[in-house]
Amino acid sequence: MPVSKLTWDVFALFGLLVTAVVVSRPQPLASFVLASAGLAYLVLAGVGSASYTIAAVLTSYLLGRRLEGPRPAVYAFSALAAAGLGYAMLLGVIRGRLDTQVMQWLWMVFGLVLLAVFPWFAGRFMRQRAELLRAGWQRAEQLEREQRIIAERERLRERARIAQDMHDSLGHELALIALRAGGLEVDRGLDQRHRQAAGELRMTAGQASETLRTIIGLLGEPGRLAPLRPTNDSVADLVERARASGMAVDLDGEVDVTGVVGLAVRRVVQEGLTNAAKYAPGASVDVRVERNESFTSVSVVNGPPVRSVAADGGTQRGLIGLRERALLMGGTFAAGPEDGGFAVRVRLPHDAGTVVEPIETTESVREQVRRTARRGLIVAVGVPAAIATGLVAVMFGYYAYSVTHSVLPLEDYDRLWIGQSKEGAEDMLPEMEMLDAPSMPNPPGAGCRYYLAEPAILNFNTAVLRVCFDGDRLVAKDVVREPHQ
């Protein structure tokens, strides 16, 4: 389009560009729309502008960098494309060349993709990358704080382990001491002075056990008991030590159990014997260990106490720890009164293992950030490239269609004669005119049409034929471009 025809809107375009620059920071979307609308208008008019090209690229990039969501930008792109299509259709109707204006609109959309969509995706990618990096560092700082919390929690758990070890070992030993002292206290073979000393020893052991329980309550982790390792004694050793202290213990079953299940079995036997010594003195105790291919079952059952004991049932920390351990290993736990005594029964699977909770590290977070950034880069490049490729395919397909349907064979051209009626001539003319027709002055009062002499899609040197009509008569026909030899 000649520059002289744009003189009426030069000031409007200049004002549009200045406004786009002024509002680029407070209103990036409005700035982008103004700059892209001016560029689209110039493309449809067939005029190039370095100023609007640079403005469109910069405002599109800033839009992607400053605007958070993609929807406003997508709506703006769609609105520009729709408005450009409407304007192109209007020009096509006015100028009588709808096909040319449609092709020009496709060029406009292609230009917007290259000069607006690509920069917008680049700005959006840079924004997301900055946000991801910032989020990654924040996450790393958070993980450092969590690591400190975990370290403190482990220290607390260690205190709970120490307390539980005291309960498992010292509590068991004190119970056996009190049991043996109680036996000496009622031994008639000793004189009164020794029996009284044994009674005092029994009372001292009981008080020490109560003091130990109080300390354990202060040191222990509230609401949860950490998994603990019992003493290294085997089940047989535990039973023999109890018997040596005066307990009537019957051991039955396979006692050679190893691994995690073996530790749990020894822990159950130790806790059961300790409870029997403390709360059922003089009662017989039955320890049974049974194994099959999948499970190991252990039970510690004591009869009713021979001598009366205090009604205090204790804190049951040991039973709570056994229950937690059995459930974590995928087994079952049951404890309660039975036939006037007390029974502890545990069933453990052989495939039980240690459950370790994974801790997300800073390195994994960084890798996740990098992976998300790479995915954003692929989208930022791939989506505009796919759009541009699709537009090129549509434009080439439309161009090929117009070339093949705007061919006037030379034999048909030679059959046209000056003065022929327009109706008769149009029967031999193709349905479309060629795109990118030469710009030539028409004969006075006539309108001209341009056609290709042969369907050469990639040959731009083919002959161009022109036929001109004045009203309803053919007034001129000529070859306006000879093919290069």
Side-chain angles (χ1 to χ4, degrees):
M1 185 174 182
V3 177
S4 59
K5 293 186 178 181
L6 288 178
T7 55
W8 63 271
D9 54 5
V10 168
F11 292 105
L13 290 171
F14 178 77
L16 201 67
L17 183 60
V18 171
T19 305
V21 173
V22 171
V23 302
S24 61
R25 180 170 293 275
Q27 296 293 333
L29 181 60
S31 175
F32 160 75
V33 172
L34 293 176
S36 298
L39 178 64
Y41 173 79
L42 292 173
V43 173
L44 288 175
V47 178
S49 173
S51 300
Y52 266 96
T53 299
I54 296 174
V57 172
L58 292 179
T59 55
S60 301
Y61 174 80
L62 293 176
L63 177 66
R65 191 65 187 269
R66 294 173 178 173
L67 201 63
E68 182 175 359
R71 288 188 178 182
V74 174
Y75 293 155
F77 292 140
S78 302
L80 287 172
L85 179 60
Y87 181 70
M89 298 292 288
L90 179 61
L91 289 181
V93 173
I94 294 175
R95 298 174 181 176
R97 289 302 307 272
L98 188 61
D99 54 347
T100 302
Q101 293 303 319
V102 170
M103 192 67 180
Q104 200 69 19
W105 174 78
L106 290 175
W107 277 112
M108 183 209 78
V109 176
F110 184 72
L112 284 179
V113 171
L114 291 181
L115 302 177
V117 176
F118 267 106
W120 175 76
F121 267 105
R124 180 167 175 78
F125 168 73
M126 295 302 296
R127 174 187 174 87
Q128 290 178 339
R129 184 174 181 272
E131 290 178 349
L132 287 174
L133 290 177
R134 184 166 56 254
W137 285 115
Q138 291 176 352
R139 180 59 176 159
E141 294 175 357
Q142 179 183 354
L143 285 177
E144 291 178 359
R145 291 193 297 269
E146 291 179 357
Q147 290 292 344
R148 290 193 294 268
I149 295 174
I150 290 174
E152 182 64 25
R153 186 177 63 185
E154 288 302 320
R155 285 193 290 270
L156 294 177
R157 283 184 175 179
E158 187 61 28
R159 293 178 62 187
R161 291 187 181 99
I162 294 173
Q164 189 66 32
D165 285 338
M166 293 172 63
H167 177 275
D168 292 343
S169 57
L170 297 181
H172 181 71
E173 298 295 336
L174 289 174
L176 294 180
I177 290 174
L179 179 65
R180 177 164 294 185
L184 294 176
E185 185 181 8
V186 296
D187 188 357
R188 296 300 179 182
L190 299 177
D191 57 25
Q192 181 64 27
R193 182 171 59 87
H194 290 111
R195 289 200 302 270
Q196 183 178 357
E200 293 175 355
L201 176 62
R202 178 181 59 79
M203 292 179 59
T204 301
Q207 291 174 357
S209 178
E210 292 300 320
T211 303
L212 177 64
R213 185 174 65 179
T214 303
I215 295 174
I216 290 173
L218 295 175
L219 294 179
E221 183 179 358
R224 182 182 177 188
L225 291 178
L228 302 169
R229 180 185 182 92
T231 61
N232 294 325
D233 295 338
S234 65
V235 173
D237 292 336
L238 293 172
V239 171
E240 287 301 323
R241 291 175 61 191
R243 287 173 179 169
S245 299
M247 293 183 65
V249 184
D250 182 20
L251 176 61
D252 186 19
E254 185 176 353
V255 297
D256 188 14
V257 184
T258 60
V260 177
V261 176
L263 294 176
V265 168
R266 292 194 292 273
R267 176 72 177 83
V268 171
V269 173
Q270 183 185 40
E271 181 65 24
L273 293 177
T274 300
N275 289 338
K278 290 174 61 177
Y279 305 115
S284 61
V285 181
D286 182 19
V287 177
R288 182 177 298 273
V289 180
E290 298 178 348
R291 298 191 63 184
N292 57 29
E293 295 181 357
S294 302
F295 293 92
T296 294
S297 300
V298 55
S299 62
V300 180
V301 182
N302 62 266
V306 176
R307 299 187 301 273
S308 61
V309 294
D312 183 12
T315 60
Q316 297 188 346
R317 287 180 58 90
L319 296 179
I320 294 175
L322 291 181
R323 181 179 182 278
E324 290 292 330
R325 177 178 295 227
L327 294 182
L328 286 175
M329 295 176 63
T332 60
F333 173 85
E338 183 177 304
D339 297 333
F342 196 84
V344 178
R345 304 181 188 276
V346 178
R347 189 166 181 257
L348 302 171
H350 291 170
D351 57 354
T354 303
V355 180
V356 179
E357 298 180 358
I359 300 176
E360 187 178 16
T361 63
T362 304
E363 184 63 28
S364 66
V365 174
R366 292 178 180 174
E367 192 61 33
Q368 182 180 4
V369 169
R370 294 192 187 101
R371 185 169 56 253
T372 306
R374 287 194 297 266
R375 186 164 54 246
L377 178 60
I378 294 174
V379 173
V381 175
V383 172
I387 296 175
T389 303
L391 281 175
V392 170
V394 171
M395 293 169 64
F396 183 79
Y398 184 75
Y399 174 75
Y401 178 84
S402 67
V403 168
T404 56
H405 288 77
S406 62
V407 176
L408 176 60
L410 290 176
E411 56 270 19
D412 292 338
Y413 173 77
D414 293 336
R415 291 164 53 193
L416 298 174
W417 45 277
I418 303 300
Q420 184 180 9
S421 66
K422 183 178 181 180
E423 182 179 356
E426 286 184 341
D427 292 338
M428 292 181 288
L429 297 177
E431 59 178 317
M432 295 181 63
E433 299 180 48
M434 67 171 291
L435 295 174
D436 299 327
S439 179
M440 299 178 60
N442 297 335
C448 298
R449 305 178 185 179
Y450 297 85
Y451 303 98
L452 296 173
E454 57 182 348
I457 297 177
L458 300 179
N459 182 11
F460 301 101
N461 295 322
T462 185
V464 176
L465 310 176
R466 182 177 72 165
V467 293
C468 302
F469 296 93
D470 182 3
D472 58 354
R473 293 293 173 181
L474 179 64
V475 295
K477 52 173 286 193
D478 53 358
V479 179
V480 298
R481 187 176 69 192
E482 294 287 350
H484 294 285
Q485 300 298 327

